[in-house]
Amino acid sequence: MGNPLGVHALVWTGGWAPEDAELAISSTAKAGFDLIEIPALDPSRIDIADTKQRLDAHGLKAGFSLGLTFETDINSEDPACVERGRATLMSALEVARGVGSSYLGGVLFGALAKYPAPVTDRARANSASVIKELAQEAARDDIVVGLEFVNRYESNLLNTVQQTLDYMDVVDEANVVVHADVYHMNIEENGFRKPLLLCGDRLGYVHIGESNRGYLGQGTIDFDEVFEALADVDYTGPMTFESFSSAVVDPQLSNTLAVWRNLWSDSMDLATHARAFISDGMQRARDTRGQRAQ
Ligand code: MN
């Protein structure tokens, strides 16, 4: 039994007009993936019926992800700002629900941006209270809410697994999971094994990305350690490949993520390589584990 494997839409295109959606969805299916992750930073940009029809036609599932902005930051002391963020998250949830997706994740808990100051208790409490409400609303359609902790330059609230688990204890909703991204873990954690074991069955979604966000295996991330830890916690959830290059640009997301360089130009070669890399790596890790158990 393997993990459902996915790819982020920005490997294919930065837009979501019908022709972009068709390119991204058909290419994801052609590369052999089970799901596509569609960015929903602006949920109003996504045509729900059109997206659902194309996913069904290609037999693919979708997950949705977004990060908030300083205008819509729920990790804020300003009630108006928190309310705008709540509205954005609820619209994103509507999109996920409409398309029939069972996953909404990302930097849902605050702005995806470099904060000018540390988090405050009141801002954190505002964030947790909105996420609790979002999770309760999502639970009505069995939608899982994933908290993607990110590096210090992209959030001041959740940078590590431990912080994410502590925050989840405050939110206290069963459909909230850890969304671990090894690119961010590589910056903030002491390693991969310990924090992934710490997640245990609270881990619900994994982003696989290289240290420079390019081809897997060409950077410094110890993927054997990552895959072996995931095998050891019997992780059977989605693993989605994330990679960004200036070759494919989303005006909102690319600049936020500081995608300035061209790390690849052939999306299909990149994606098929990544799929095999993840699938083979997980198989190897499970075999190693099986041999140890004998
Ligand atoms: Mn990620």
Side-chain angles (χ1 to χ4, degrees):
M1 250 288 295
N3 303 78
L5 300 184
V7 62
H8 194 281
L10 231 77
V11 164
W12 310 111
T13 177
W16 206 252
E19 63 272 22
D20 299 312
E22 183 59 30
L23 171 73
I25 291 169
S26 64
S27 303
T28 296
K30 194 175 164 208
F33 289 94
D34 308 298
L35 68 107
I36 181 168
E37 182 174 320
I38 304 170
L41 287 98
D42 178 0
S44 69
R45 229 174 49 156
I46 296 167
D47 181 329
I48 294 175
D50 181 80
T51 301
K52 181 170 172 32
Q53 182 259 316
R54 289 177 201 281
L55 288 165
D56 290 346
H58 291 281
L60 273 193
K61 289 191 186 328
F64 288 88
S65 62
L66 72 151
L68 297 171
T69 67
F70 284 136
E71 283 300 296
T72 58
D73 191 4
I74 61 172
N75 170 30
S76 161
E77 298 194 353
D78 172 7
C81 193
V82 173
E83 177 49 36
R84 286 193 296 272
R86 197 189 74 87
T88 300
L89 292 172
M90 289 301 172
S91 332
L93 180 60
E94 276 313 302
V95 169
R97 175 182 284 146
V99 170
S101 168
S102 57
Y103 190 74
L104 179 64
V107 184
L108 309 179
F109 46 82
L112 174 60
K114 184 181 178 301
Y115 282 76
V119 69
T120 68
D121 289 344
R122 208 159 98 212
R124 185 196 282 110
N126 285 342
S127 167
S129 127
V130 174
I131 292 298
K132 186 174 184 71
E133 192 187 338
L134 178 74
Q136 287 174 345
E137 190 59 33
R140 295 177 12 177
D141 293 281
D142 294 322
I143 296 174
V144 168
V145 170
L147 304 176
E148 182 177 8
F149 59 96
V150 291
N151 72 74
R152 66 191 68 190
Y153 308 108
E154 297 180 29
S155 172
N156 69 354
L157 177 52
L158 303 183
N159 300 141
T160 66
V161 161
Q162 186 61 62
Q163 288 176 326
T164 308
L165 293 173
D166 292 345
Y167 176 96
M168 279 164 63
D169 287 341
V170 175
V171 173
D172 194 26
E173 294 294 335
N175 60 329
V176 177
V177 299
V178 179
H179 172 146
D181 180 328
V182 297
Y183 165 83
H184 298 290
M185 293 180 75
N186 181 56
I187 296 170
E188 299 297 344
E189 304 279 6
N190 295 340
F192 299 102
R193 181 171 182 80
K194 266 194 182 165
L196 289 171
L197 294 191
L198 189 63
C199 291
D201 61 6
R202 300 172 88 184
L203 183 64
Y205 199 90
V206 172
H207 270 167
I208 296 292
E210 196 35 286
S211 54
N212 63 0
R213 307 205 96 153
Y215 269 81
L216 297 181
Q218 293 189 356
T220 59
I221 290 189
D222 185 344
F223 281 106
D224 285 337
E225 186 187 344
V226 170
F227 295 145
E228 280 167 27
L230 292 173
D232 283 351
V233 294
D234 283 323
Y235 178 69
T236 56
M239 296 175 71
T240 295
F241 173 56
E242 235 184 9
S243 180
F244 304 100
S245 166
S246 58
V248 174
V249 175
D250 174 322
Q252 211 177 336
L253 193 55
S254 297
N255 293 346
T256 303
L257 298 181
V259 181
W260 315 133
R261 288 188 294 134
N262 190 344
L263 289 161
W264 43 260
S265 47
D266 185 338
S267 302
M268 187 54 83
D269 184 66
L270 174 86
T272 50
H273 171 270
R275 200 201 163 282
F277 187 96
I278 298 168
S279 174
D280 295 351
M282 282 305 290
Q283 189 56 54
R284 206 165 50 240
R286 289 203 168 96
D287 290 349
T288 305
R289 185 169 186 243
Q291 282 159 14
R292 273 207 316 267
Q294 277 169 12

